[in-house]
Amino acid sequence: MVKRVLDKQRYVFLEKPAMEVLQREENEIRAAQIESYLSELKEFHLSVMKLSETRYDKKTRSLMLNLAMILLSEEKLWEKTRSEKRIPLKVFSRMVEEPVFELKEMESHILAYALLLEEDKYPLIRRYLHYKEGAGEDTYENGEDKSRGLSLLRKGRFSFILTSQGQFMKIRVEETPSGHVAAGRKVRKKLNLFKPLLVLLLAALLLGSVYITMSRRITQTIIVKAAGEVKMDFNSFGDVIHVIGIDGAGRSYVAKATFEEKDIDTVLAEIIEQAYISETIKERAEITILVSGEFLPEDFFKSGKTHDRILSYQLNAKINNNGSFLYVE
């Protein structure tokens, strides 16, 4: 396989618009060529509407032009492209030394150029393109706000054009077309928020699903024995899931309890409070707190609501934190 790296810079689009004079008698022939070209694009699953959605700079357009010409000159490769309706990118990549992923991004425009330039099928469209061999300096600056090009498709007030610089573009027609040339302002690409919003929605659903799963999964169980017995289950966020009275006294604590918050300290303190208010336990009574699952921090009972209740009621608290003992100070 012959490398075609040097040919990638053979031709360059010129910024200066073509001075092509379109003959009125050629209009019918040009219209037939445009129709045929659009039909051929469709065979390759392409359209001028789709091509107009992406705008390339001059350097990239010139590269795509040269790649199209290289593709056409490689007879077997072009035959395979025509047969499969796509470019054999891996083979083409090795030939021109361009990354496959970049060729994939440019494939639609390379094919559009190749179909237009193939043999002499569309001379009245082809000659509108303004390019030359060699990379000479092009100092022309277009100060106009309007864009002008060969109108390939008209949709109401809009026209899909091909400029002499090889740009497929959608414009709002502001001048009456002369022959097949239309001029007007570029139509700005509408901001498509659907995909970003869909991604955000899916992310939110995923996070919501993870949150619900974690909020329902029991990671810690605390049992309080103080004349009555109460079992409390907590999730990974430290919020209570279930509070169950194991016996009659325990069920009485739970029934009377009002939990302002769902955290471990608030729930545990409220159960101790109800046990004391009901006089099931009195000052200097013994209570047992058994922790299983995730460990409580070693300083958990050195401050907070539970700490205050135990000290206020002068309770003798025995705390087993997954096999290690904690103390109230």
Side-chain angles (χ1 to χ4, degrees):
M1 179 179 63
V2 179
K3 297 284 185 178
R4 302 290 300 275
V5 180
L6 296 179
D7 291 329
K8 292 191 300 181
Q9 298 178 354
R10 184 174 180 181
Y11 296 97
V12 60
F13 276 116
L14 300 178
E15 291 298 325
K16 186 176 181 179
M19 299 300 293
E20 178 68 34
V21 178
L22 304 184
Q23 302 295 330
R24 183 174 298 178
E25 57 270 19
E26 295 177 342
N27 285 348
E28 289 186 10
I29 301 173
R30 186 182 300 103
Q33 290 182 10
I34 289 174
E35 184 178 354
S36 179
Y37 178 57
L38 295 180
S39 177
E40 196 166 23
L41 285 176
K42 191 174 180 180
E43 292 178 13
F44 281 74
H45 310 290
L46 301 174
S47 70
V48 288
M49 290 87 80
K50 193 69 176 176
L51 292 166
S52 299
E53 291 178 1
T54 308
R55 294 175 185 170
Y56 293 101
D57 58 24
K58 172 186 171 183
K59 182 179 179 181
T60 306
R61 277 182 276 120
S62 296
L63 172 62
M64 293 188 296
L65 173 68
N66 286 299
L67 292 174
M69 290 186 171
I70 293 171
L71 182 63
L72 287 171
S73 67
E74 296 289 335
E75 186 176 345
K76 291 184 179 179
L77 191 60
W78 178 238
E79 286 179 2
K80 188 171 183 180
T81 299
R82 269 203 159 280
S83 172
E84 298 179 356
K85 308 302 181 188
R86 61 183 180 84
I87 302 171
L89 294 177
K90 290 184 179 179
V91 176
F92 198 44
S93 173
R94 291 195 295 270
M95 179 181 293
V96 298
E97 295 187 3
E98 288 287 335
V100 172
F101 73 92
E102 289 188 7
L103 289 175
K104 182 64 179 175
E105 290 180 358
M106 297 186 290
E107 184 178 17
S108 295
H109 279 71
I110 295 172
L111 285 171
Y113 286 156
L115 292 171
L116 180 59
L117 300 172
E118 185 181 14
E119 298 174 345
D120 199 26
K121 295 172 65 176
Y122 308 113
L124 297 184
I125 306 175
R126 174 176 180 164
R127 77 185 190 192
Y128 189 76
L129 294 177
H130 197 201
Y131 59 90
K132 71 172 186 177
E133 190 170 357
E137 187 177 359
D138 182 11
T139 58
Y140 177 81
E141 292 185 8
N142 186 2
E144 296 184 9
D145 292 333
K146 295 180 181 179
S147 296
R148 184 180 300 272
L150 197 63
S151 179
L152 301 179
L153 183 66
R154 184 76 183 267
K155 293 281 188 181
R157 294 178 300 166
F158 302 101
S159 184
F160 295 89
I161 65 172
L162 173 63
T163 70
S164 60
Q165 298 85 34
Q167 186 80 274
F168 289 94
M169 188 183 300
K170 181 181 179 182
I171 63 170
R172 185 187 299 272
V173 178
E174 297 179 354
E175 294 181 14
T176 304
S178 173
H180 288 88
V181 175
R185 298 183 187 276
K186 301 175 189 176
V187 176
R188 293 183 181 274
K189 188 176 181 181
K190 292 182 179 179
L191 187 61
N192 187 358
L193 297 177
F194 177 74
K195 288 185 178 180
L197 288 176
L198 181 60
V199 171
L200 286 175
L201 178 60
L202 292 175
L205 290 174
L206 179 60
L207 290 173
S209 176
V210 171
Y211 176 81
I212 291 172
T213 301
M214 293 181 69
S215 65
R216 291 177 178 175
R217 185 164 58 91
I218 297 172
T219 59
Q220 197 171 53
T221 298
I222 299 177
I223 296 176
V224 177
K225 295 181 180 180
E229 186 172 338
V230 176
K231 177 186 176 186
M232 295 163 282
D233 295 322
F234 297 88
N235 61 26
S236 56
F237 301 110
D239 294 332
V240 67
I241 302 175
H242 309 116
V243 181
I244 304 170
I246 303 300
D247 53 18
R251 287 190 287 273
S252 175
Y253 305 157
V254 175
K256 295 176 182 178
T258 302
F259 305 116
E260 295 179 358
E261 303 289 342
K262 294 184 178 183
D263 60 281
I264 296 173
D265 190 32
T266 299
V267 174
L268 187 53
E270 180 65 13
I271 293 298
I272 295 173
E273 173 115 353
Q274 292 304 322
Y276 184 79
I277 291 173
S278 65
E279 297 186 350
T280 307
I281 59 173
K282 298 182 179 181
E283 292 181 356
R284 298 182 179 82
E286 181 179 295
I287 65 168
T288 302
I289 300 174
L290 304 174
V291 181
S292 60
E294 291 185 1
F295 286 83
L296 287 175
E298 292 185 4
D299 60 350
F300 183 84
F301 292 100
K302 293 182 180 181
S303 62
K305 298 174 184 178
T306 304
H307 167 270
D308 294 343
R309 299 294 188 282
I310 292 173
L311 290 186
S312 297
Y313 307 149
Q314 301 179 42
L315 301 176
N316 179 20
K318 295 183 177 179
I319 306 166
N320 188 328
N321 187 26
N322 264 326
S324 61
F325 295 94
L326 299 180
Y327 301 94
V328 179
E329 300 176 0

